[in-house]
Amino acid sequence: MNDTSGTESEMHVGPRPGRLRGVGALCGLALSLALVAGCGDGDGGGNATSSTPSAGTATATGQLTEDQAERKALVPSAKVGHERAAAAASEKVPGSRLVSEELKRAAGAGPQWHIEVAAPDGTAHVVRVDAVSGKVLESRAKADQDDGDKQELADRLSKAKVSPQDAAATALGRTKGTVTAVELDDTDAGAVIWSVDVVTTGDWNKTTFDIDATHRKVLREHVDRD
């Protein structure tokens, strides 16, 4: 076969045909090995990815939400429980009854119970109790109450036949944990209820129970997993 693309000397510059076939075979083998190696690398990478938890999985299983982290930092630091704190507040305002209490961390301070109690005439008092020592830090009458507010609060307290201690015990009978809040409230229909928050130390979730303040029946249970 004639080749018009170059002279004979130009045709013999490159390797002989036999050598080309050998080189081609070697190149083919190298390419095959490279492909196998490439597939192996891909499998290895896939296996490494599957054995390492993703960021989303780690967040879901190994990390706490902001609220859970706050509860974990706050609840164990409180050495005074809700009953003792309520008793200290009631002693500070003789003849008063508990309206609400909540465990909080004050800015630049340790854990505190923020409590509201009411005298028989419905006059509300705000009391802060140190949740480590049990000492009363502050006690003052609420300044924004008028006569109507006082009467409404006195009526609500008179309807509550269930004590806050019994309401808390009912909540703890459903979920074992630490009571962090108790509040006297009423429904849209006018029924009086105790709302009780219980924090479970295993997962630091908060469960809120609405308990009928007349019959001690659990009306609602809601778990806050945030």
Side-chain angles (χ1 to χ4, degrees), residues 131-149:
V132 176
S133 66
K135 179 181 178 181
V136 174
L137 303 174
E138 177 190 21
S139 178
R140 57 180 174 81
K142 291 183 71 173
D144 57 352
Q145 272 190 305
D146 57 26
D147 291 340
D149 295 331

Side-chain angles (χ1 to χ4, degrees), residues 153-205:
L153 184 54
D155 290 343
R156 185 183 300 166
L157 284 167
S158 68
K159 294 177 183 177
K161 307 305 180 183
V162 176
S163 70
Q165 292 81 9
D166 285 344
T170 298
L172 290 173
R174 298 284 289 264
T175 298
K176 300 301 181 184
T178 301
V179 173
T180 58
V182 180
E183 181 180 7
L184 184 64
D185 202 352
D186 51 23
T187 65
D188 294 338
V192 181
I193 62 172
W194 286 107
S195 179
V196 182
D197 289 347
V198 177
V199 172
T200 47
T201 55
D203 50 20
W204 303 106
N205 290 333

Side-chain angles (χ1 to χ4, degrees), residues 6 41 46 69 89 91-92 169 172 203:
D41 290 342
E91 289 176 4
K92 196 67 176 179
L172 290 173
D203 50 20

